[in-house]
């Protein structure tokens, strides 16, 4: 358990201290945010704010994870390394997107096909590798069964699993990307979900089927390869994002950019896949789902009827245009995300209690 504490504290410290250094570096190079002309008028003042801040919490998370291993003497696990690799890979795709926006002054960054290709390469690599590296119980980091609070149903096979994993990774990475429109919104929401996954990892470790001989109810145990290490990764992310939020909250001194949003979405999907809580992620990350659906509804309605449901999509901008201040939107959306996490964890515990 010391690993979890060290990872969270180190991640927090590194981003609290390291982010202002990154802000100075990015500002000196002129790597500022490009603001869309069709966005809310209040956002024009944000033009030029340093972006690509995701670099800070990606590096801090990786450093916190490995430093916690060095301090405690525990070795890394395949599950932890794969989830971190997914985060770094998606972050690299986002970095290329941000870099093109800044250098070429093109608000759309990477071409859609190039961006999708990068995400597919990273996602396929993660999905394929996650079905390797079985432990002495035969558990690989991921499972070819669908899962909610644990695996259920029939095995879908490796090919369909790769498709399913790609869908989750793309959906969550783009969901966080859409949510990252107001100062601190995506960062704060992510902190809450990572806190939930820290708890889930610890609970699954304590109730692991590997310890069935010491459990009061072996029938309610979890077949997860490295649950405690997933908690270490989640704790490092929670601390790193919390430290980044100090500088990212309104008025933001730095934006995470696609570097950060794609990385966060990817690692959320990775944690869900490796902890066997794939469908539960839709509840734990309910705010990201809600905001993504607002874009789907807006686009679908306009194409079918020529009318818009919201004043502007994603959803947070609709409320801005209704007169809500940016801080009011962010805090209320954080509350919504907090409710989603409470409901998700409640369902997670209820599933265990029902088996008990």
């Amino acid at each position: 358990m010391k690993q979890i504490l060290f990872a969270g504290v180190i991640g927090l410290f590194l981003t609290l201290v390291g982010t202002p250094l990154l802000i100075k570096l990015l500002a000196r190079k002129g790597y500022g945010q490009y603001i869309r002309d069709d966005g809310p008028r209040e956002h024009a003042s944000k033009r030029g704010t340093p972006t690509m801040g995701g670099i800070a919490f990606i590096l801090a998370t990786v450093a916190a994870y490995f430093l916690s291993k060095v301090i405690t003497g525990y070795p890394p696990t395949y599950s932890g390394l794969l989830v971190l690799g997914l985060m770094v890979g998606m972050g690299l795709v986002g970095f290329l997107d941000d870099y093109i926006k800044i250098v070429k002054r093109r608000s759309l960054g990477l071409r859609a096909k190039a961006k999708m290709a990068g995400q597919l390469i990273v996602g396929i690599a993660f999905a394929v590798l996650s079905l390797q590296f079985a432990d002495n119980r035969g558990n690989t980091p991921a499972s070819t069964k669908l899962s909610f609070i644990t695996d259920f149903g029939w095995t879908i096979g490796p090919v369909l699993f790769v498709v399913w994993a790609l869908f989750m990774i793309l959906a969550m990475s783009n969901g966080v990307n859409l949510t990252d429109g107001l100062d601190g919104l995506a960062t704060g929401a992510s902190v809450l979900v990572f806190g939930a996954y820290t708890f889930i990892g610890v609970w699954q470790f304590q109730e692991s089927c590997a310890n069935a001989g010491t459990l009061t109810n072996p029938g309610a145990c979890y077949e997860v390869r490295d649950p405690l290490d997933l908690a270490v990764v989640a704790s490092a992310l929670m601390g790193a994002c919390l430290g980044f939020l100090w500088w990212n909250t309104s008025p933001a001194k730095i934006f995470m950019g696609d570097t950060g949003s794609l990385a966060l979405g990817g690692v959320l999907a990775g944690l869900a896949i490796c902890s066997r809580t794939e469908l539960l992620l839709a509840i734990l990350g309910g705010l990201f789902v809600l905001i993504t659906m607002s874009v789907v509804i807006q686009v679908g309605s306009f194409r079918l009827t020529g009318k818009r449901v919201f004043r502007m999509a994603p959803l947070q901008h609709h409320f801005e245009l209704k007169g809500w201040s940016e801080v009011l939107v962010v805090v209320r959306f954080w509350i919504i995300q907090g409710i989603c996490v409470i409901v998700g964890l409640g369902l997670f515990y209820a599933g265990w209690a029902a088996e008990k």
Side-chain angles (χ1 to χ4, degrees):
M1 299 299 177
K2 291 181 180 179
Q3 300 177 73
I4 297 172
L5 178 61
F6 281 126
V9 172
I10 293 171
L12 174 64
F13 174 78
L14 289 177
T15 47
L16 278 176
V17 175
T19 303
L21 300 178
L22 180 63
I23 292 172
K24 291 179 181 179
L25 174 63
L26 294 173
R28 187 162 59 245
K29 290 184 174 293
Y31 290 174
Q33 178 70 28
Y34 186 97
I35 302 297
R36 291 168 49 187
D37 294 330
D38 59 345
R41 286 177 295 178
E42 293 80 3
H43 289 201
S45 62
K46 300 180 181 184
R47 182 174 283 109
T49 301
T51 188
M52 295 194 294
I55 295 171
F57 58 73
I58 291 173
L59 293 179
T61 299
V62 174
Y65 175 82
F66 284 106
L67 284 173
S68 72
K69 298 296 180 182
V70 172
I71 293 170
T72 61
Y74 288 96
T77 68
Y78 287 114
S79 297
L81 293 175
L82 281 170
V83 172
L84 288 175
L86 177 60
M87 175 187 70
V88 173
M90 295 297 289
L92 285 173
V93 176
F95 174 81
L96 291 174
D97 191 43
D98 286 332
Y99 188 78
I100 290 174
K101 289 177 185 176
I102 294 166
V103 173
K104 295 190 175 181
R105 299 293 176 183
R106 193 173 75 206
S107 64
L108 296 179
L110 277 174
R111 301 297 182 189
K113 290 183 179 179
K115 189 173 183 179
M116 178 63 71
Q119 290 176 299
L120 288 175
I121 291 170
V122 175
I124 291 172
F126 168 81
V128 172
L129 290 173
S130 67
L131 294 178
Q132 314 303 316
F133 314 115
D135 63 9
N136 55 10
R137 294 180 58 84
N139 290 321
T140 53
S143 168
T144 54
K145 289 185 177 181
L146 296 177
S147 61
F148 181 49
I149 56 176
T150 187
D151 285 343
F152 70 87
W154 299 282
T155 299
I156 60 176
V159 175
L160 285 180
F161 166 77
V162 170
V163 174
W164 169 240
L166 279 175
F167 170 77
M168 287 191 63
I169 293 167
L170 293 174
M172 285 308 301
S173 60
N174 288 291
V176 177
N177 185 256
L178 290 171
T179 304
D180 182 36
L182 302 182
D183 295 354
L185 178 56
T187 310
S190 297
V191 167
L192 294 171
V193 186
F194 291 135
Y197 271 109
T198 302
F199 171 82
I200 287 172
V202 171
W203 189 272
Q204 289 178 333
F205 173 73
Q206 292 176 337
E207 301 295 329
S208 172
C209 294
N211 305 322
T214 61
L215 299 179
T216 56
N217 181 30
C221 66
Y222 298 93
E223 285 287 5
V224 177
R225 191 191 192 286
D226 305 299
L228 189 61
D229 212 40
L230 294 176
V232 174
V233 173
S235 178
L237 281 159
M238 180 174 61
C241 287
L242 194 59
F244 181 76
L245 184 59
W246 181 270
W247 305 102
N248 182 233
T249 195
S250 183
K253 301 295 188 296
I254 188 171
F255 300 137
M256 70 170 67
D258 281 14
T259 305
S261 60
L262 295 188
L264 290 181
V267 79
L268 282 170
L271 286 170
I273 291 168
C274 291
S275 64
R276 313 291 202 270
T277 56
E278 296 161 359
L279 297 178
L280 184 64
L281 179 59
I283 299 173
L284 290 173
L287 180 65
F288 304 127
V289 176
L290 178 66
I291 288 176
T292 301
M293 289 307 300
S294 72
V295 175
V296 173
I297 291 170
Q298 183 85 325
V299 173
S301 175
F302 186 77
R303 288 183 176 178
L304 292 174
T305 67
K307 297 181 179 179
R308 293 179 173 85
V309 176
F310 307 105
R311 295 189 179 185
M312 186 176 179
L315 188 61
Q316 62 268 31
H317 299 316
H318 167 79
F319 289 101
E320 276 193 293
L321 294 178
K322 286 189 59 131
W324 291 19
S325 69
E326 181 174 11
V327 173
L328 181 61
V329 175
V330 169
V331 172
R332 286 184 173 174
F333 275 39
W334 281 351
I335 293 172
I336 293 172
Q337 178 56 58
I339 294 171
C340 291
V341 166
I342 291 171
V343 172
L345 288 178
L347 290 171
F348 178 79
Y349 177 78
W352 175 83
E355 292 295 330
K356 185 176 181 182

